[in-house]
Amino acid sequence: MARKPAKKQHFNVVIVGQSGRLGYEALLFVASLRHSCPDFAGRVLVAEPQPGDLWPNDPRMKDDVRQAIEALGAEILPFHSQHFGHAYAYGNKIELLSALPKGEPFVFFDSDTLVTGDLAKVPFDFDRPGASLRREGTWPNPPLYSVGYGEIWKSMYDRFGLDFESSLDLSEPDEYWQRYLYFNAGYFYYKCPHEFGARFLEYALSIKRDVPPQLACQSLDPWLDQVVLPLVIHSFGGGRDALPTGYLDGDTTCHYRVFPMLYARESAAVIETLETVAAPNKIKKVLKGYDPIKRNVYQGRGEKVRALFDQDNLPRREQMIRNRIKSEGFWMR
């Protein structure tokens, strides 16, 4: 008998949109999603922080950005910052989760992401959360002759009553950063945003307010969200193997981070997606309000950046790519 096609999953997609860069990136994200998976059945939510005591300026998007996003069928989802706000804007991805529909599976993406394939075909297991493995060993930075990776990470698992040993990748050597569970927070997902968000917030505030002594020499700004995320995912039974490779940060999405980096290292297909979704006049008129998009996408600076590198033989470390772009005067964010 012929196999029945897999049942399509229904889930919500959420990103952050606010004044400045994130609003324009949010517009590009939504445009790329509608282009790459026009039949996506879930809600597309652009979470927007609202004015309040933790924001010295109005964090809401400009009207033309908001209107362009809504014209693509996305919903603006207001939320209020209770703990982070301007002082730690990465906390938006933690606090917005309580504003999402309770009990409905969600996938969060950083706004500097493009959708390049069909999200409905990604085999999410929403009972086992996961996050992006496209990262480098950016945290912690153990001091010489003091606590190492193992002691630093174990101190946090112990604080929250989590099993540290089961989080380890024993195929990697002791005191090598990849032995320890570490994600980029560019995407993450779970079956309920309220459950995930409550634990994310609990762990983040605990570490922020009472730093374990093993972390005394470690920076938590901007790393707090990425430090806590592995603990949250492990606590819900997720891990490195929660999602098959090749989908997110692969054929289906691209977390480009900044536009010069996109042109320097991403595939021709990603650049084609970017330039295709940015081309319609109604979108172009809005995106030109953000100089890095205007210069890189519409005025050809991105192609000059791309010509600096052999995309089949890129420098191993991201910082080396950034430094070359900066030395040529092409860095913009």
Side-chain angles (χ1 to χ4, degrees), residues 13-145:
V13 167
V14 60
I15 59 174
V16 175
Q18 65 184 74
S19 61
R21 173 176 62 88
L22 292 185
Y24 295 102
E25 290 175 348
L27 174 55
L28 269 177
F29 176 94
V30 175
S32 70
L33 187 153
R34 295 307 188 201
H35 169 77
S36 299
C37 40
D39 297 326
F40 180 71
R43 296 170 68 185
V44 181
L45 303 166
V46 179
E48 182 185 57
Q50 301 299 291
D53 293 341
L54 297 181
W55 295 99
N57 300 309
D58 190 339
R60 291 175 295 186
M61 294 177 284
K62 292 176 61 177
D63 287 343
D64 61 340
V65 176
R66 177 196 307 273
Q67 291 164 9
I69 287 171
E70 292 180 325
L72 291 168
E75 305 171 49
I76 308 298
L77 180 73
F79 72 95
H80 294 277
S81 303
Q82 304 291 334
H83 302 282
F84 297 108
H86 176 77
Y88 186 70
Y90 295 95
N92 281 340
K93 67 183 65 177
I94 301 174
E95 297 203 72
L96 69 82
L97 295 173
S98 64
L100 295 180
K102 186 175 183 179
E104 295 184 13
F106 75 95
V107 185
F108 168 86
F109 289 101
D110 270 349
S111 306
D112 50 355
T113 300
L114 290 173
V115 180
T116 54
D118 190 349
L119 282 177
K121 294 182 179 179
V122 178
F124 293 109
D125 178 356
F126 286 103
D127 290 326
R128 292 194 67 224
S132 173
L133 291 170
R134 190 180 187 186
R135 77 284 191 239
E136 295 181 342
T138 47
W139 194 95
N141 185 20
L144 289 173
Y145 314 115

Side-chain angles (χ1 to χ4, degrees), residues 11-294:
F11 56 91
N12 300 321
V13 167
V14 60
I15 59 174
V16 175
Q18 65 184 74
S19 61
R21 173 176 62 88
L22 292 185
Y24 295 102
E25 290 175 348
L27 174 55
L28 269 177
F29 176 94
V30 175
S32 70
L33 187 153
R34 295 307 188 201
H35 169 77
S36 299
C37 40
D39 297 326
F40 180 71
R43 296 170 68 185
V44 181
L45 303 166
V46 179
E48 182 185 57
Q50 301 299 291
D53 293 341
L54 297 181
W55 295 99
N57 300 309
D58 190 339
R60 291 175 295 186
M61 294 177 284
K62 292 176 61 177
D63 287 343
D64 61 340
V65 176
R66 177 196 307 273
Q67 291 164 9
I69 287 171
E70 292 180 325
L72 291 168
E75 305 171 49
I76 308 298
L77 180 73
F79 72 95
H80 294 277
S81 303
Q82 304 291 334
H83 302 282
F84 297 108
H86 176 77
Y88 186 70
Y90 295 95
N92 281 340
K93 67 183 65 177
I94 301 174
E95 297 203 72
L96 69 82
L97 295 173
S98 64
L100 295 180
K102 186 175 183 179
E104 295 184 13
F106 75 95
V107 185
F108 168 86
F109 289 101
D110 270 349
S111 306
D112 50 355
T113 300
L114 290 173
V115 180
T116 54
D118 190 349
L119 282 177
K121 294 182 179 179
V122 178
F124 293 109
D125 178 356
F126 286 103
D127 290 326
R128 292 194 67 224
S132 173
L133 291 170
R134 190 180 187 186
R135 77 284 191 239
E136 295 181 342
T138 47
W139 194 95
N141 185 20
L144 289 173
Y145 314 115
S146 185
V147 294
Y149 283 95
E151 190 173 349
I152 290 170
W153 280 113
K154 187 175 186 300
S155 68
M156 293 184 290
Y157 283 78
D158 288 347
R159 167 171 289 196
F160 301 113
L162 304 175
D163 180 24
F164 173 64
E165 297 297 327
S166 63
S167 74
L168 301 176
D169 181 353
L170 299 181
S171 69
E172 299 289 354
D174 193 30
E175 291 302 309
Y176 179 59
W177 71 271
Q178 283 188 290
R179 184 180 178 89
Y180 310 94
L181 196 61
Y182 188 53
F183 299 103
N184 181 279
Y187 76 78
F188 53 84
Y189 58 89
Y190 190 53
K191 64 183 179 182
C192 176
H194 288 224
E195 292 179 21
F196 196 93
R199 193 164 297 176
F200 206 169
L201 181 62
E202 174 195 351
Y203 288 6
L205 292 179
S206 175
I207 295 294
K208 180 176 181 286
R209 292 169 176 171
D210 182 17
V211 179
Q214 294 85 349
L215 275 63
C217 297
Q218 302 301 319
S219 174
L220 292 174
D221 189 356
W223 309 115
L224 179 62
D225 62 322
Q226 291 193 182
V227 171
V228 173
L229 183 59
L231 309 174
V232 178
I233 286 175
H234 187 66
S235 75
F236 284 116
R240 300 172 186 84
D241 62 344
L243 184 69
T245 59
Y247 289 94
L248 304 189
D249 295 330
D251 293 336
T252 310
T253 64
C254 172
H255 185 198
Y256 58 85
R257 293 183 174 87
V258 293
F259 292 100
M261 289 294 293
L262 186 159
Y263 277 94
R265 68 178 178 181
E266 303 302 346
S267 70
V270 170
I271 293 174
E272 181 181 3
T273 297
L274 167 64
E275 295 183 347
T276 298
V277 304
N281 286 331
K282 288 183 179 180
I283 292 178
K284 181 190 297 187
K285 183 179 179 181
V286 177
L287 291 177
K288 279 187 172 181
Y290 181 54
D291 212 40
I293 295 178
K294 181 172 71 174

